[in-house]
Amino acid sequence: MPLPRPHYASGTASFFGRRSLTETEVSPEAMSRIFLKILVPGPFADGLTYHATDTIDAGIRVRVPLGTREVIGLCCGHTAPPDNIETTKPIIEVLDTQPIIDPALFQLAEFAADYYLAPLGDLLLQGIPTALRKGKPLPAPKPEQGQSVARPYPLTDEQTDAIDRVQSGFDQFNVFLLQGVTGSGKTQVFSELISRTLARNQQVLLLVPEIGLTGQMVDRIQAQLTGTLNVSHSGLADGARARAYAGALSGDTDVLIGTRSVLFTPLPNLGLILVDEEHDSAYKNQDGARFSARDLAIVRAKQADIPILLSSATPALETWHQANLGRYTRLRLTQRPGAARQVSFRLIDARRDQPVHGLTQAARMRIERTLTNGQQALVFLNRRGYAPVLLCTDCGWTPGCRHCDARPTLHRAPDLLWCHHCDHKQRPPTVCPDCGGLQLLPVGQGTERLSEALEHQFPDWPVIRIDRDTTTRRRAFETLLEPVIAGDPCILIGTQMLAKGHDFKQLATVIVADADQGLLGADFRAVEHFAQLLTQVAGRAGRHQTDGEVLIQTHRPDSEWFARIMSADYDALAEHIYAERKQYQWPPETHLALITARGPHSDSVLQALGVAAQHIRQLQSPIRILGPAPAPMERRNRQFHGQLLLVGTRTVLNWALKETGPWAYRRRGQVMFQLDVDPWDLW
Ligand code: ADP
Ligand code: ZN
Ligand code: ZN
């Protein structure tokens, strides 16, 4: 396939046209120039024009001057000579002999740039590993070999059916939703589909939400794989990422497994895309260009005319709805195969059975019983650190963050008041700055404190804490989990890092320490996210010989949502959520675009958004405009944040934003705009 050279023909024509009109200015040297569009890092809506004496293929990296610096850019083909053809700057160095990006990715990025109204360069460059972005040469590929171990059990009928249906659609675009309860063997379906794709000499892209949490799944896939694989994610060393990229590009790597950052990795023989836990918000890219890797994966499959399989026990409501409409093909796995058991739920009324150090009597007893039975218990608390609040018991003073409308979290070891929103850290005071009192007490529970309490209460068993603070070092996660995987009795305590994907064979009990937190979220998606999280956490239990029990500690045991979540019927729950969304005209009934603005003063931020609203209102379109309003946390990281929420159809929103934009990276005085099409968080 030829590489895209979008403006070559018309550019040449206008070049000669202009020359014959003005006759002079253009030197012969300038006339022999070839003008190229180069994507460079930075908030440029499009590529910048440079010149060279020889042609350079699209997808080749070049070194170019930019202001006073030199940067690495990506050539995206010829372009029309600019008006100032004498002043364009030359390309300093050509870094590749072969393109490092294939035409399919240009096509994908062009779609994304149009849909998300985001700079093309931002989209394409963020997908290139740092080492390559810095100009290092493309390394030799180094894929890992699969172990070709035979599958240890026969497939279930449901698995066979799902696999056959995807296979019968190889070679054409189709979106499949593999909606299978937790522990129903979705990973096995992946493995099977991978081997059938490899048998056709095609590559597979497997997207996962967070790789650190998926090591176990990668191991399982690698065990059965007859072929090669690479894993790539932002936690990997630069060189390793570049090698994975090189392998995918050259075709040496059959299976590329990675987080959202690998969506824009070239795979010339791509035959199948798999998206694990498709509902996970980690698929939303929030730094730089905002896009959903899941949604763009669907576009990539469509452009390549291949099938894509989205998998989840708790599909995003948008995905679930598409399957109901018949636009996606739903495949179900309703049973846990083999010896896996079902999970039962129990609510604990924390008003009657009051928690001591974060745990109710009922929860403690259940943990004790689990451990003496030789099994494992998981305590889920989605709040890292020691305690959410430090309180002066004399006057009621609590510290706030200097830069945010937020309370810093108290951490111990080391002693810190740490704002999780802006990362500001300070030593906790020993004396109350308001009244001079000395009684400063931590209030509430974080994982650090709860694990301390568990260690006291269960001194004979290991307590393993898994959260971002205990897993920063490379492979820390795997090391911490070793005894868990080995099946030794222990208590696991941690945040949502523990909710996803793991297959702990001896895990019998899950305690949800604070279930009230989730239901109180302000966002219209709060209930959906909470239900997904709870279902995922609960799904860790009872996966093998053991029965699973989930105990939920709550002060609001009569909330209707608990009954629905506990019924373990995700479709019934989704039906309820959908009815609410429909009534209030939220997605998936409508589409959203969020214009956010930030600046040093709240007045100017809201005023700038007011002007934006005015522009959009003047279009007299059927768009509903909510705001301008302060963001849910208005002061964040020394800046005031405001937002304007647009509700409408995709087409009208896209049109209106184009008419009035660009909004991404727009600056008005000290106010910076950002645009989020299909936002996942109204933050
Ligand atoms: P999910 O990804 O749906 O949560 P997994 O793929 O982790 O489920 O499978 C759960 C467990 O069931 C795994 O230990 C896996 O080895 C086992 N398993 C999968 N398929 C089968 C099968 N056909 N027969 C027996 N056990 C199976
Ligand atoms: Zn005080
Ligand atoms: Zn802060």
Side-chain angles (χ1 to χ4, degrees), residues 246-519:
L249 173 69
S250 67
D252 288 282
T253 301
D254 296 318
V255 182
L256 179 66
I257 305 182
T259 50
R260 61 171 189 263
S261 61
V262 303
L263 176 79
F264 284 96
T265 301
L267 290 148
N269 308 317
L270 187 60
L272 175 69
I273 303 179
L274 304 167
V275 183
D276 189 32
E277 310 288 7
E278 64 83 32
H279 64 278
D280 201 299
S281 56
Y283 286 122
K284 187 72 200 294
N285 197 52
Q286 291 289 40
D287 15 275
R290 317 259 154 132
F291 64 85
S292 154
R294 175 199 63 208
D295 295 350
L296 284 184
I298 296 174
V299 175
R300 187 165 181 183
K302 186 170 177 20
Q303 292 178 341
D305 204 19
I306 57 168
I308 175 168
L309 180 83
L310 312 176
S311 143
S312 176
T314 54
L317 222 60
E318 285 79 0
T319 308
W320 179 85
H321 185 56
Q322 293 292 332
N324 287 358
L325 294 176
R327 293 186 193 143
Y328 297 173
T329 308
R330 183 183 265 122
L331 308 168
R332 280 189 196 276
L333 301 179
T334 60
Q335 305 294 326
R336 289 184 157 193
R341 312 289 176 84
Q342 299 303 330
V343 180
S344 59
F345 286 87
R346 185 146 59 98
L347 281 181
I348 305 175
D349 187 342
R351 297 169 305 188
R352 298 225 182 89
D353 182 353
Q354 290 201 356
V356 179
H357 299 304
L359 286 181
T360 57
Q361 170 84 7
R364 276 197 305 273
M365 282 167 58
R366 176 73 212 198
I367 294 175
E368 172 104 54
R369 190 143 45 90
T370 306
L371 294 168
T372 46
N373 280 348
Q375 295 169 325
Q376 299 168 341
L378 185 158
V379 180
F380 173 70
L381 179 63
N382 211 7
R383 199 190 287 126
R384 71 194 170 100
Y386 193 79
V389 180
L390 183 68
L391 175 79
C392 169
T393 50
D394 291 334
C395 75
W397 174 86
T398 62
C401 174
R402 199 184 299 171
H403 310 305
C404 308
D405 293 332
R407 292 195 186 297
T409 302
L410 181 67
H411 285 246
R412 288 276 161 82
D415 259 333
L416 284 177
L417 279 172
W418 182 351
C419 175
H420 292 174
H421 298 281
C422 71
D423 230 24
H424 180 74
K425 293 170 193 152
Q426 67 192 80
R427 299 293 272 178
T430 46
V431 179
C432 171
D434 265 18
C435 74
L438 295 171
Q439 299 292 321
L440 292 166
L441 285 190
V443 179
Q445 298 287 331
T447 47
E448 198 181 350
R449 190 179 197 185
L450 193 49
S451 79
E452 193 180 278
L454 285 165
E455 276 166 16
H456 274 109
Q457 288 164 15
F458 301 97
D460 298 333
W461 285 283
V463 174
I464 300 166
R465 172 159 69 100
I466 304 273
D467 56 28
R468 234 187 305 151
D469 301 325
T470 63
T471 54
T472 42
R473 269 176 300 114
R474 200 160 281 175
R475 295 206 69 82
F477 192 69
E478 284 83 350
T479 313
L480 280 169
L481 281 184
E482 266 165 23
V484 190
I485 309 275
D488 307 336
C490 63
I491 306 173
L492 266 167
I493 151 124
T495 57
Q496 60 180 352
M497 290 181 83
L498 278 177
K500 299 171 190 176
H502 311 291
D503 192 27
F504 302 135
K505 303 205 186 324
Q506 289 302 320
L507 189 74
T509 300
V510 170
I511 312 283
V512 179
D514 181 2
D516 300 334
Q517 225 183 335
L519 281 179

Side-chain angles (χ1 to χ4, degrees), residues 1-6 8 34-39 52-63 73-79 91 93-103 106 124:
M1 205 194 287
L3 294 162
R5 288 173 184 169
Y8 188 48
I34 293 169
F35 295 95
L36 296 151
K37 184 159 101 170
I38 308 295
L39 296 176
T53 43
D54 283 321
T55 182
I56 300 171
D57 281 340
I60 281 183
R61 289 173 302 155
V62 292
R63 189 186 304 279
L74 188 71
C75 177
C76 47
H78 291 216
T79 188
I91 284 165
E93 188 187 354
V94 179
L95 298 175
D96 300 302
T97 47
Q98 295 288 322
I100 64 150
I101 285 223
D102 66 16
F106 277 108
L124 268 178

Side-chain angles (χ1 to χ4, degrees), residues 9 24 125 129 138 153 175 263 358 456 523 543:
T24 50
L125 295 173
L138 192 71
Y153 36 67
V175 186
L263 176 79
H456 274 109
D523 200 304
R543 291 170 77 89

